[in-house]
């Protein structure tokens, strides 16, 4: 009763104010920026594999960005005041910067889709790479700037960059494996896997560094993350299209878990000894597990990526089938 | 005719009066404003008379006098601060309850909590009570983090909230290193009874405005925090927690006023602030914090 936002049905609280939906948002936006950064890089250096997926990858990047913005929108306490981010942004806030960056970035993504048929000029590629990197960096600053949490470190910023690149390549492999139809697909996938392995290993190394810096190295979640990363690498190195696609999917899920883990674990640290027990009431406790409602909404958000992707890929006239 | 003449004479007299008043007003408005002793009209139209108190009187009287003196200054000339003497805190939680009652805060919203810390082991056991609240930092990370300028630092040092501007992103909650902010999730203590009780539905008067608890309306869905009871202090009342403190452990006043009790306490005692190493420059000072393990 007397509840307005969807947050009223979620389990996040004042001690853990950002829960599963924010993790999903970070996952989507990280993937979007990572995919686009790799597309821009692939075209800039004339990589033999990535430019073949220019259109599919750019559509996926736009789809994940839109789903990411949807997931952060539903997380707001006053959804109807979203426009205030545009009307009265604070210049000191990383979140305000992000909103404006997303706007420019979305325009660049749409521009890329429109320009793809005629080829992308170098200047455009450079601009695209710059803005996708800016999206990742500014997003990491939202966490790294405030001094109160464990996020206040350079490793956290670095982790955002490496995880976005990991997400980007895993998503590109996944989309190529799941949607491609041509006979030479295995060659394409193998070429992409060659790019992915160092990115996944670098990301794993940064994850371990972060866990060491937070003194979380022995935690079960971190062990699971290491196992998932290694499993993804093993599967990606196989010769079967289905197995490689599964490996990419595990890589994507692993990074979602990693984002969830670093987001939640830092919020569970009490600012002072005895703070959590000083006043006991619902929505004040230093604990969090997502509610069934949060999980269902998150699944719906994942489905929304597919729906947006299908709409942009099949229905909108500005896109055409990828020549795989 | 005679009657008409009188009316004309009165009109001329009135005209002259009006003219001279207008000239006087224009002349005075052109003069530079006095820097001290003036009251910012938008801030506080009242002039507060000092209270006569003598040595040995209740410290509340002295703080009340300090408050009046501060209120008679311009807002930018005062700097509110709080001092908490941990040696005097008895852990009665009266401040917490007074605050909740004053601000009609719902379940999950508590502006002032009291840490109850045990040290040592039986029989050498010590209990410490540390009230924690918004520190109204000089460099508040919450203000930096807010994307829509819904939380700002006032000229008098209070970090306030503009409820109708807040989008409920909770960035400030995570930015605050003191855990001083909470989100209002629209809960009621008496939600499971046949209807919410009147005491929960009465409006709060935070930031000198009326805030009835209504579906979809602020402060539901907003971030909330201690505001040093702006609505009380600008009406010449001490914050609810200060007025209620049983052990007389909480002091409030203008730190810029060298005669104020808080200035005196800060000068004469070894005071500490929470998490000073973060550079946030809190405005809540503690006496005896060095004896507590936080």
């Amino acid at each position: 009763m007397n509840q307005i936002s969807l947050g009223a049905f979620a389990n996040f609280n004042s001690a853990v104010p950002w829960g599963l939906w924010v993790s999903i948002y970070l996952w989507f936006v990280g993937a979007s920026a990572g995919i686009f950064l790799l597309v821009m890089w692939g075209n800039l250096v004339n990589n033999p594999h990535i430019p073949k997926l220019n259109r599919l990858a750019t559509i996926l990047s736009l789809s994940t960005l839109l789903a990411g913005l949807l997931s952060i929108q539903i997380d707001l306490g006053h959804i109807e005041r979203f426009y205030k981010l545009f009307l009265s942004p604070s210049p000191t806030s990383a979140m305000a910067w992000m909103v404006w960056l997303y706007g420019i970035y979305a325009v660049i993504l749409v521009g890329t889709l429109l320009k793809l048929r005629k080829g992308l000029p170098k200047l455009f590629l450079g601009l695209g790479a710059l803005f996708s990197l800016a999206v990742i960096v500014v997003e990491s600053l939202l966490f790294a700037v405030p001094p109160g949490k464990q996020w206040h470190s350079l490793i956290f910023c670095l982790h955002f960059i490496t995880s976005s690149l990991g997400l980007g390549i895993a998503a590109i492999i996944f989309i190529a494996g799941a949607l491609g139809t041509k006979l030479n697909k295995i060659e394409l996938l193998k070429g992409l896997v060659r790019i992915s392995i160092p990115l996944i290993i670098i990301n794993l190394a940064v994850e371990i560094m972060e866990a060491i810096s937070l003194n979380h190295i022995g935690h079960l979640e971190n062990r699971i993350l290491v196992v998932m990363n290694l499993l993804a690498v093993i599967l990606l190195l196989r010769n079967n299209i289905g197995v490689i696609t599964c490996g990419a999917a595990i890589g994507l899920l692993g990074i979602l878990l990693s984002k969830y883990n670093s987001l939640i674990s830092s919020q569970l640290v009490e600012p002072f000894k005895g703070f959590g027990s000083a006043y006991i009431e619902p929505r004040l406790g230093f604990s969090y597990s997502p509610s069934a409602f949060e999980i269902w909404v998150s699944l719906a958000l994942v489905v929304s990526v597919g729906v947006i992707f299908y709409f942009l890929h099949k229905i909108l006239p500005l896109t055409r089938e990828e020549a795989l | 005719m005679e009657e008409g003449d009188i009316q004309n004479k009165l009109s001329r007299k009135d005209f002259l009066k009006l003219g001279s008043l207008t000239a006087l007003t224009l002349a005075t408005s052109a003069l530079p404003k006095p820097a001290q002793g003036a009251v910012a009209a938008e801030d506080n139209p009242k002039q507060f008379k000092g209270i006569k108190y003598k040595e040995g009187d209740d410290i509340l009287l002295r703080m009340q006098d300090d408050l009046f003196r501060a209120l008679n200054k311009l807002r930018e000339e005062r700097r509110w601060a709080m001092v908490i003497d941990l040696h005097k805190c008895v852990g009665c939680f009266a401040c917490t309850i007074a605050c909740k009652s004053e601000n009609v805060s719902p379940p999950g919203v508590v502006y002032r909590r009291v840490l109850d810390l045990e040290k040592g082991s039986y029989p050498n056991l010590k209990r410490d009570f540390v009230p924690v609240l918004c520190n109204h930092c000089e460099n508040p990370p919450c203000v930096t983090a807010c994307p829509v300028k819904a939380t700002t630092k006032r000229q008098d040092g209070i970090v306030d909230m503009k409820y109708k501007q807040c989008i409920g992103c909770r960035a400030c909650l995570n930015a605050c290193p003191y855990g001083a902010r909470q989100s209002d999730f629209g809960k009621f203590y008496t939600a499971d009874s046949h209807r919410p009780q009147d005491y929960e539905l009465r409006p709060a008067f935070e930031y000198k405005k009326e805030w009835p608890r209504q579906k979809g309306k602020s402060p539901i869905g907003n971030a909330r925090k201690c505001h040093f009871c702006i609505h009380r202090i600008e009406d010449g009342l001490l914050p609810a927690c200060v007025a209620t403190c049983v052990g007389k452990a909480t002091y409030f006043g203008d730190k810029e006023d060298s005669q104020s009790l808080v200035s005196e306490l800060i000068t004469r005692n070894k005071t500490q602030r929470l998490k000073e190493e973060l550079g946030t420059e809190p405005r809540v000072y503690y006496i005896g914090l060095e004896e507590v393990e936080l």
Side-chain angles (χ1 to χ4, degrees):
Chain A
M1 59 172 296
N2 282 20
Q3 293 157 340
I4 49 152
S5 66
L6 295 178
F9 308 102
N11 275 354
F12 51 76
N13 56 43
S14 292
V16 186
W18 288 341
L20 181 60
W21 295 340
V22 176
S23 311
I24 292 277
Y25 150 75
L26 295 174
W27 189 49
F28 282 157
V29 173
S32 172
I35 293 167
F36 196 58
L37 186 56
L38 286 169
V39 168
M40 296 292 103
W41 168 80
N43 284 276
L44 270 172
V45 301
N46 288 322
N47 180 277
H49 309 291
I50 288 178
K52 290 178 187 167
L53 292 157
N54 272 348
R55 194 171 301 278
L56 276 179
T58 309
I59 293 172
L60 184 62
S61 177
L62 185 57
S63 310
T64 46
L65 175 69
L66 294 175
L69 295 182
L70 183 65
S71 54
I72 201 67
Q73 175 86 11
I74 60 166
D75 191 69
L76 295 180
H78 279 282
I79 296 168
E80 78 285 0
R81 294 181 190 160
F82 186 74
Y83 69 93
K84 287 181 187 284
L85 283 162
F86 296 97
L87 291 188
S88 50
S90 165
T92 59
S93 163
M95 193 183 277
W97 277 91
M98 271 154 56
V99 171
W100 284 92
L101 259 179
Y102 291 151
I104 301 167
Y105 174 62
V107 169
I108 291 174
L109 281 171
V110 174
T112 307
L113 283 173
L114 293 170
K115 280 241 171 210
L116 270 175
R117 282 183 215 166
K118 293 176 185 171
L120 296 167
K122 288 266 182 195
L123 182 69
F124 195 89
L125 292 171
L127 204 66
L130 186 72
F131 270 89
S132 47
L133 189 63
V135 164
I136 302 169
V137 172
V138 174
E139 194 179 61
S140 74
L141 292 180
L142 173 67
F143 296 88
V145 169
K149 292 274 191 289
Q150 290 177 331
W151 304 320
H152 187 58
S153 76
L154 271 177
I155 292 181
F156 205 78
C157 286
L158 186 63
H159 191 194
F160 260 75
I161 296 170
T162 58
S163 65
S164 288
L165 289 171
L167 274 173
I169 194 66
I172 290 173
I173 294 173
F174 182 79
I175 206 85
L179 293 185
T181 51
K182 294 287 170 73
L183 289 173
N184 61 353
K185 192 156 83 172
I186 190 72
E187 290 309 311
L188 172 71
L189 286 176
K190 280 180 159 293
L192 293 172
V193 165
R194 276 197 291 278
I195 303 169
S196 76
I197 299 300
L199 291 179
I200 292 174
I201 289 172
I202 289 169
N203 184 46
L204 179 62
V206 174
E207 259 175 38
I208 292 169
M209 274 162 60
E210 188 184 273
I212 292 169
S213 73
L214 300 179
N215 210 12
H216 288 173
I217 194 66
H219 290 193
L220 179 66
E221 310 87 75
N222 288 94
R223 287 181 195 174
I224 292 171
L225 285 173
V226 171
V227 170
M228 282 185 86
N229 273 292
L230 293 177
L231 183 63
V233 170
I234 291 166
L235 295 180
L236 284 169
L237 289 171
R238 303 298 293 269
N239 273 330
N240 183 297
I241 292 171
V243 175
I244 292 174
T245 311
C246 275
I250 290 172
L252 288 171
L253 273 179
I255 295 176
L256 170 63
L257 284 181
S258 152
K259 289 205 174 272
Y260 177 85
N261 189 35
S262 34
L263 181 77
I264 305 301
S265 61
S266 291
Q267 294 177 93
L268 293 175
V269 180
E270 296 182 15
F272 306 105
K273 196 167 86 179
F275 190 78
S277 55
Y279 196 84
I280 297 168
E281 256 183 9
R283 303 263 180 172
L284 281 179
F286 281 79
S287 65
Y288 172 75
S289 55
S291 67
F293 180 72
E294 281 175 274
I295 293 169
W296 280 114
V297 169
S298 301
L299 289 173
L301 288 166
V302 174
V303 171
S304 77
V305 175
V307 173
I308 299 168
F309 182 86
Y310 182 81
F311 179 77
L312 292 171
H313 181 48
K314 295 282 185 189
I315 298 172
L316 270 194
L318 63 100
T319 62
R320 290 286 180 274
E321 285 284 342
E322 195 79 47
L324 271 176
Chain B
M1 285 293 282
E2 279 181 14
E3 201 177 309
D5 279 345
I6 292 165
Q7 274 181 352
N8 281 342
K9 274 182 188 173
L10 282 174
S11 301
R12 274 196 296 274
K13 210 182 244 178
D14 288 344
F15 177 79
L16 285 171
K17 268 186 191 172
L18 196 68
S20 52
L21 269 173
T22 312
L24 191 67
T25 312
L26 285 171
T28 49
S29 64
L31 291 171
K33 285 180 184 170
Q36 292 241 336
V39 176
E42 80 284 353
D43 172 16
N44 212 332
K46 298 176 195 168
Q47 274 281 1
F48 292 92
K49 284 183 182 171
I51 294 176
K52 296 271 184 220
Y53 70 91
K54 55 184 184 303
E55 199 68 30
D57 276 351
D58 196 308
I59 53 155
L60 284 174
L61 284 177
R62 177 165 178 196
M63 282 194 280
Q64 191 79 59
D65 190 48
D66 292 348
L67 184 70
F68 288 172
R69 205 165 47 248
L71 286 170
N72 288 337
K73 296 199 291 186
L74 288 168
R75 185 182 280 180
E76 59 265 32
E77 289 170 0
R78 53 178 119 104
R79 222 60 186 160
W80 299 121
M82 188 172 273
V83 178
I84 301 173
D85 189 343
L86 299 182
H87 298 129
K88 291 186 176 175
C89 180
V90 295
C92 66
F93 301 92
C95 55
T96 306
I97 303 305
C99 174
K100 280 196 77 79
S101 172
E102 178 68 33
N103 296 302
V104 201
S105 48
V109 176
V110 55
Y111 296 165
R112 185 178 168 111
R113 41 186 131 187
V114 181
L115 308 181
D116 183 349
L117 303 164
E118 276 186 11
K119 198 161 71 178
S121 55
Y122 181 83
N124 299 316
L125 199 66
K126 190 188 173 219
R127 269 174 93 186
D128 290 307
F129 301 102
V130 184
V132 286
L133 62 155
C134 172
N135 283 271
H136 297 276
C137 307
E138 206 55 46
N139 307 313
C142 53
V143 172
T144 310
C146 178
V148 291
K149 300 177 193 161
T151 185
T152 51
K153 183 139 186 81
R154 290 168 26 130
Q155 289 167 314
D156 57 6
I158 293 178
V159 176
D160 71 354
M161 279 290 305
K162 289 165 185 65
Y163 280 155
K164 288 187 176 171
Q165 180 71 10
C166 175
I167 59 170
C169 66
R170 305 184 296 286
C172 55
L173 270 74
N174 266 329
C176 175
Y178 304 101
R181 288 172 167 258
Q182 291 97 44
S183 189
D184 187 336
F185 289 98
K187 298 285 181 191
F188 285 85
Y189 286 104
T190 53
D192 293 334
S193 63
H194 66 287
R195 67 174 182 84
Q197 297 299 297
D198 291 342
Y199 72 84
E200 286 202 80
L201 295 172
R202 72 196 158 92
F205 292 95
E206 295 172 284
Y207 308 107
K208 301 177 90 175
K209 285 184 187 149
E210 208 167 311
W211 303 100
R213 282 189 77 68
Q214 289 171 355
K215 187 179 180 180
K217 299 270 176 69
S218 290
I220 294 175
N222 289 145
R224 297 181 68 173
K225 62 178 277 296
C226 160
H227 35 73
F228 276 169
C229 282
I230 291 173
H231 59 288
R232 284 176 61 95
I233 55 176
E234 292 196 344
D235 265 355
L237 297 167
L238 288 164
C241 55
V242 178
T244 317
C245 184
V246 173
K248 303 278 163 59
T250 303
Y251 310 91
F252 181 80
D254 178 14
K255 191 173 168 275
E256 291 297 291
D257 177 3
S258 56
Q259 288 177 279
S260 71
L261 182 58
V262 288
S263 287
E264 192 183 305
L265 287 168
I266 292 167
T267 316
R268 287 192 182 172
N269 294 278
K270 188 188 173 194
T271 54
Q272 279 186 359
R273 295 173 291 176
L274 293 171
K275 298 191 178 185
E276 286 195 64
E277 70 281 5
L278 298 180
T280 52
E281 298 289 333
R283 302 199 73 79
V284 176
Y285 296 78
Y286 292 86
I287 298 170
L289 191 65
E290 68 281 359
E291 296 162 30
V292 180
E293 283 173 21
L294 277 176

